[in-house]
Amino acid sequence: MGAVAVLCCLVAGCDVAIDGAAGISPAEQQRVDRRAEQRGAVESALKALEQAPVVVYKSTIKDAVGKPAELQFRITRNGSAHGALPVDGQAINVVAADKQLYLSATPEYWKAHGLGNSDQYGTNWVRTDSSDLPVNAVEVLNPRKAASTLRTAVSAMNRLTDPVRSKLPDGTEVYDVGSGLGALRVTTAAPHRVISFAPSLIDAAGGKTLGAEMRVEPLTGDALKKLQTDLDGAIGGIGQPFDALTQVSVSVVNDKLDCTDYVGTCRATIDVANTVIGGASGTPVHLMLTVEFSAQSLGAQTCTADANAAPDTTTSMTCEVKFRLPNRNASYQVQAKPSARGEVRAPVDVNGVREKLKSEFAALGG
């Protein structure tokens, strides 16, 4: 009968107290609430970054004498950018406009990237692509892309970790959301925004070359207008940049030496052939010729010449020197050793790019 009575009771749905069945404790509920609060702050901050028309990234490197120097890299959500990146502790100047990337770096930087014209490239702007940076900065630092990548990185972190709060030197309280790749910092107070992040969070492979931390700020109002002004000026100052996207090989295919009797003037006529791979169709090749003349008893002299040539053509070039003859009635055997090199300059439609920037910033509110 007892068993039947209990069954009836259970079917009827009466309450039975069971020892050991406990709900979530107040302390645990507080931890759950804190984690939820942090997740909300992070998502709100990432949305603000995602919607920003323009942001500035700030980083710090040490200058030649060891003093900290701040770099700024400003970029629009459309990919126009101006500033410097701290690549392996050195500042690489960057301009991006009209879907073209221009870099200014040292000869050592270009040499490390396998470019034979490294000494030349270190003297001017170079049109290139993202392969000459350790990370595709114009893509990964785009506000929308950066927010998306950071969101993915945060989602992979341990969600059961208790939130960590800290205060910046200016008193701003932030959440430190960390992982093995580095930390993301967002403000604890609304309106939430991203304060900084480890570059490795947006590019696990190459991000570490950009240092340990990038600080982030939105740009609006006068700061937005200043970026347009700075980009406008930068495009005008780039001039004719070297084109690292075009490969050119140059060779001497014919040479002729003429020396005028009793005068000492010797002229070399050199045929220089160029072969171009890649680049814009029809872009001229700038040829530079060097000829070293030498003769026993007369010493050595060098002359140079330059010319612009159509791609994949042979160009005749000349240069001459004049020796001082110690004996006009004597004969001297003169030798000429020519060498040539070529470079391709990228054409930049300055006015056209400026008009496109004007339209872009008008849409951004500048």
Side-chain angles (χ1 to χ4, degrees), residues 31-42:
R31 284 192 289 270
V32 170
D33 293 342
R34 287 196 297 269
R35 289 195 291 266
E37 184 180 0
Q38 176 185 263
R39 287 196 298 271
V42 170

Side-chain angles (χ1 to χ4, degrees), residues 239-255:
Q240 289 186 312
F242 294 111
D243 191 350
L245 303 178
T246 304
Q247 300 299 316
V248 57
S249 62
V250 172
S251 60
V252 173
V253 295
N254 190 30
D255 61 274

Side-chain angles (χ1 to χ4, degrees), residues 256-268:
K256 180 182 178 182
L257 175 62
D258 292 311
C259 293
T260 305
D261 291 341
Y262 312 116
V263 176
T265 300
C266 290
R267 169 177 290 190

Side-chain angles (χ1 to χ4, degrees), residues 172-247:
T172 302
E173 187 180 58
V174 297
Y175 286 117
D176 288 304
V177 187
S179 75
L181 292 175
L184 166 69
R185 286 180 167 177
V186 304
T187 58
T188 59
H192 304 289
R193 68 181 185 88
V194 176
I195 293 292
S196 67
F197 60 84
S200 295
L201 291 175
I202 58 169
D203 191 307
K208 62 184 179 181
T209 62
L210 301 182
E213 181 185 56
M214 276 197 162
R215 303 179 297 281
V216 190
E217 294 177 11
L219 286 183
T220 57
D222 290 343
L224 181 59
K225 293 178 181 178
K226 187 176 188 309
L227 174 56
Q228 180 184 356
T229 300
D230 290 346
L231 270 170
D232 193 271
I235 290 299
I238 282 176
Q240 289 186 312
F242 294 111
D243 191 350
L245 303 178
T246 304
Q247 300 299 316

Side-chain angles (χ1 to χ4, degrees), residues 329-354:
N329 294 318
S331 296
Y332 303 93
Q333 185 175 2
V334 180
Q335 292 183 324
K337 293 175 60 178
S339 62
R341 57 189 175 91
E343 64 187 30
V344 178
R345 300 281 185 146
V348 179
D349 180 6
V350 174
N351 291 332
V353 175
R354 283 174 169 169

Side-chain angles (χ1 to χ4, degrees), residues 1-14:
M1 288 294 291
V4 174
V6 171
L7 178 59
C8 292
C9 180
L10 290 174
V11 172
C14 65

Side-chain angles (χ1 to χ4, degrees), residues 28-365:
E28 181 59 28
Q29 184 62 55
Q30 288 178 357
R31 284 192 289 270
V32 170
D33 293 342
R34 287 196 297 269
R35 289 195 291 266
E37 184 180 0
Q38 176 185 263
R39 287 196 298 271
V42 170
E43 179 56 28
S44 179
L46 291 177
K47 281 185 177 179
L49 175 60
E50 197 169 45
Q51 295 168 2
V54 185
V55 297
V56 55
Y57 297 95
K58 297 180 179 181
S59 53
T60 303
I61 63 172
K62 290 184 178 181
D63 63 17
V65 295
K67 293 181 61 178
E70 184 180 81
L71 304 181
Q72 294 192 13
F73 181 75
R74 294 167 291 172
I75 183 170
T76 74
R77 63 185 176 203
N78 297 321
S80 296
H82 181 279
L85 293 172
V87 180
D88 287 332
Q90 62 175 306
I92 306 300
N93 294 304
V94 179
V95 169
D98 192 26
K99 304 186 185 304
Q100 297 293 322
L101 177 66
Y102 306 94
L103 302 182
S104 175
T106 62
E108 292 74 21
Y109 182 86
W110 293 117
K111 185 176 181 179
H113 284 74
L115 293 175
N117 293 333
S118 58
D119 288 339
Q120 294 173 265
Y121 284 4
T123 65
N124 199 6
W125 287 93
V126 178
R127 182 179 79 100
T128 185
D129 58 21
S130 60
S131 64
D132 280 321
L133 285 172
V135 298
N136 187 344
V138 175
E139 178 183 351
V140 301
L141 294 177
N142 179 295
R144 287 179 287 197
K145 177 64 174 178
S148 176
T149 309
L150 290 170
R151 184 179 288 112
T152 301
V154 169
S155 69
M157 296 179 186
N158 187 354
R159 289 179 172 267
L160 298 180
T161 303
D162 211 34
V164 176
R165 295 177 180 232
S166 63
K167 281 193 174 182
L168 302 180
D170 64 1
T172 302
E173 187 180 58
V174 297
Y175 286 117
D176 288 304
V177 187
S179 75
L181 292 175
L184 166 69
R185 286 180 167 177
V186 304
T187 58
T188 59
H192 304 289
R193 68 181 185 88
V194 176
I195 293 292
S196 67
F197 60 84
S200 295
L201 291 175
I202 58 169
D203 191 307
K208 62 184 179 181
T209 62
L210 301 182
E213 181 185 56
M214 276 197 162
R215 303 179 297 281
V216 190
E217 294 177 11
L219 286 183
T220 57
D222 290 343
L224 181 59
K225 293 178 181 178
K226 187 176 188 309
L227 174 56
Q228 180 184 356
T229 300
D230 290 346
L231 270 170
D232 193 271
I235 290 299
I238 282 176
Q240 289 186 312
F242 294 111
D243 191 350
L245 303 178
T246 304
Q247 300 299 316
V248 57
S249 62
V250 172
S251 60
V252 173
V253 295
N254 190 30
D255 61 274
K256 180 182 178 182
L257 175 62
D258 292 311
C259 293
T260 305
D261 291 341
Y262 312 116
V263 176
T265 300
C266 290
R267 169 177 290 190
T269 302
I270 312 295
D271 289 340
V272 180
N274 76 81
T275 303
V276 173
I277 301 175
S281 176
T283 302
V285 177
H286 186 65
L287 300 173
M288 290 149 285
L289 172 70
T290 301
V291 183
E292 181 181 334
F293 298 83
S294 62
Q296 190 173 6
S297 302
L298 299 181
Q301 292 195 46
T302 300
C303 66
T304 60
D306 65 321
N308 289 323
D312 303 313
T313 60
T314 299
T315 304
S316 181
M317 304 177 68
T318 63
C319 71
E320 65 179 41
V321 297
K322 185 173 183 177
F323 288 102
R324 183 176 179 181
L325 302 179
N327 185 349
R328 291 179 178 270
N329 294 318
S331 296
Y332 303 93
Q333 185 175 2
V334 180
Q335 292 183 324
K337 293 175 60 178
S339 62
R341 57 189 175 91
E343 64 187 30
V344 178
R345 300 281 185 146
V348 179
D349 180 6
V350 174
N351 291 332
V353 175
R354 283 174 169 169
E355 284 301 312
K356 291 180 180 179
L357 287 172
K358 184 178 179 180
S359 298
E360 176 188 358
F361 278 86
L364 293 174

